[in-house]
Amino acid sequence: MKDYKLLNEIVDTSPHIICIIDRKNIIRWHNRYALKFFGKDATGKNIKTLLSINTDSISDEKTAILKSRIIKNKKEFILEHRIINTGHEPDSGLRFVITEDKTEKIKHEQILNSLLQFETILTRLALESINIPLKEIDSHIDKILKLITKYAGVDRTYIALYDSTGDALVITHDWCSKNFKPSITTVK
């Protein structure tokens, strides 16, 4: 009895949505965190609908890991679901679903990948910029602007310098995507 209470406390205080579903994917039981996440008792509701799980994904296999995205209160959640068949018999129909919010982890990974990509571009530019002959500097600057434009996902980049009087900006180099006119010819 003591072990059951401990297990129940662990499941109920878990920071994951934990549910037991039947063969028709109807929630038969869920922990307190599920109640907090859904904002109401979800017993009797279809888990596929509540968590936007692909209808073809939940199978009779022993275990499965699935991902879904939902919008709740104008915020997107990226969820990972571990689905585990509970019965000793293949046709028992009851399954555990443990759902974890992976939103922050995935966003951090995207930021890290973006920073690594940026570092790679900077390293490449630094290495390619060593000992450039004077006559190739302008074309090399254009190449750098092209890389920056593509990395930043923008339509154009340019370098603007103040003229000798400090009263006007002069665009010295410009790179833009197709279907755009270079700023060098359009900005005065």
Side-chain angles (χ1 to χ4, degrees), residues 49-63:
T49 305
L50 287 174
L51 298 176
S52 297
I53 299 173
N54 182 337
T55 53
D56 300 330
S57 301
I58 298 180
S59 66
D60 290 330
E61 294 179 29
K62 191 75 175 160
T63 61

Side-chain angles (χ1 to χ4, degrees), residues 6 11 21 25 61 63 67 75 84 106 115 150 153 187:
L6 178 62
V11 169
I21 61 172
N25 304 307
E61 294 179 29
T63 61
K67 289 190 171 136
K75 181 180 176 190
I84 306 160
I106 289 171
L115 290 173
K150 289 186 178 213
V187 177

Side-chain angles (χ1 to χ4, degrees), residues 9 12 34 39 66 75 82 107 129 134 147 160-162 177 185:
E9 187 63 28
D12 247 2
L66 309 168
K75 181 180 176 190
R82 290 179 196 84
K107 285 182 180 177
S129 298
L134 188 57
L147 284 171
L161 302 173
Y162 282 106
S177 302
T185 60

Side-chain angles (χ1 to χ4, degrees), residues 149-150 153-157 175-182:
T149 303
K150 289 186 178 213
V154 295
D155 298 322
R156 71 178 68 228
T157 53
W175 193 92
C176 60
S177 302
K178 291 179 183 177
N179 302 324
F180 286 90
K181 293 181 180 177

Side-chain angles (χ1 to χ4, degrees), residues 79-94:
L79 305 172
E80 182 177 273
H81 318 280
R82 290 179 196 84
I83 301 169
I84 306 160
N85 280 329
T86 60
H88 298 291
E89 301 169 23
D91 292 338
S92 70
L94 291 179

Side-chain angles (χ1 to χ4, degrees), residues 91-106:
D91 292 338
S92 70
L94 291 179
R95 290 166 286 182
F96 273 111
V97 179
I98 303 169
T99 299
E100 182 178 354
D101 181 0
K102 295 283 191 168
T103 309
E104 292 302 315
K105 180 181 179 189
I106 289 171

